[in-house]
Amino acid sequence: MCAIDLLYWRNVKQSGAVFSSVLLLLFSLTQFSVVSVGAYLALAALSATISFRIYKSVLQAVQKTDEGHPFKAYLEMEIALSQDQISKYADKILLYTNTCMKELRRLFLVQDLVDSLKFAVLMWLLTYVGALFNGLTLLILAVVSMFTLPVVYEKHQAQIDQYVGLIRTQVNSVVGKIQAKIPGAKRKEE
């Protein structure tokens, strides 16, 4: 199952489990430190595995069977990352980092005045968002949005596309008027 299937709720049980687990973790982080949440999660997992191991050992002793260690298959499983996997992910991270640095350089050094002004407006708006919400609250809102917006869009795509088209037309009209009034702000045709 891929992430898209989870976000579109193709399998309701799996999506519900992932969604509730992530929300529980994030809400836990609002009340406790990362260290405490990590320690509690590790203790819960350890308690479950130790209890299961003791249960299986007692069951084997009572039934006089020799099934062996209940986690033997997992203990023998190879979990090391290969050099190729590490190299592939490192290359992707390097490409993404370089792309971000080039874009930030372009925006901060005003290669295109319109794009830099858009970026400045975005940063100004983010100061207000930051004053209203902390990062964890924004993360919770992002997770809830990721699990709800795709389904809403899928069910009401025609109406949403119609309104987005109207908004896009209005925004392009306003941006065109602003660009016409600012000298040197006309965009190059791409």
Side-chain angles (χ1 to χ4, degrees):
M1 170 164 273
C2 68
I4 298 297
D5 292 337
L6 285 174
L7 296 179
Y8 278 95
W9 294 78
R10 303 281 189 243
N11 183 332
V12 175
K13 287 182 181 179
Q14 285 183 339
S15 292
V18 170
F19 180 59
S20 59
S21 299
V22 170
L23 272 184
L24 180 64
L25 175 68
L26 292 174
F27 282 129
S28 298
L29 288 173
T30 62
Q31 299 299 314
F32 305 104
S33 71
V34 174
V35 174
S36 295
V37 171
Y40 283 129
L41 287 174
L43 279 172
L46 197 55
S47 297
T49 56
I50 289 172
S51 299
F52 186 71
R53 171 78 193 272
I54 292 171
Y55 168 75
K56 283 297 213 177
S57 297
V58 169
L59 197 61
Q60 287 174 13
V62 168
Q63 294 178 347
K64 294 185 176 41
T65 61
D66 190 25
E67 294 176 10
H69 197 287
F71 300 116
K72 184 177 182 182
Y74 296 110
L75 289 170
E76 293 173 352
M77 190 182 300
E78 183 63 36
I79 60 169
L81 291 173
S82 70
Q83 186 65 34
D84 292 338
Q85 288 173 320
I86 292 173
S87 182
K88 181 178 87 172
Y89 292 123
D91 289 344
K92 285 183 180 181
I93 291 170
L94 180 66
L95 178 66
Y96 179 74
T97 302
N98 286 336
T99 304
C100 286
M101 286 176 25
K102 286 177 185 175
E103 184 64 19
L104 288 173
R105 177 185 65 187
R106 191 181 74 77
L107 291 170
F108 279 108
L109 298 180
V110 194
Q111 182 178 354
D112 183 349
L113 180 63
V114 173
D115 285 346
S116 293
L117 288 172
K118 287 179 188 177
F119 185 64
V121 168
L122 176 66
M123 292 300 110
W124 178 68
L125 290 173
L126 285 178
T127 62
Y128 287 103
V129 171
L132 295 174
F133 304 106
N134 66 20
L136 202 51
T137 304
L138 290 175
L139 193 57
I140 290 170
L141 290 173
V143 168
V144 170
S145 297
M146 284 174 29
F147 277 90
T148 55
L149 293 181
V151 176
V152 170
Y153 180 73
E154 191 174 55
K155 289 183 180 179
H156 305 286
Q157 186 173 1
Q159 297 97 329
I160 292 172
D161 286 346
Q162 176 186 355
Y163 289 116
V164 167
L166 292 171
I167 292 169
R168 184 175 289 145
T169 303
Q170 291 294 326
V171 168
N172 287 341
S173 171
V174 170
V175 167
K177 289 176 184 176
I178 292 172
Q179 285 178 341
K181 296 193 187 245
I182 299 175
K186 294 198 175 157
R187 301 262 329 206
K188 299 177 280 277
E189 290 298 320
E190 296 175 24

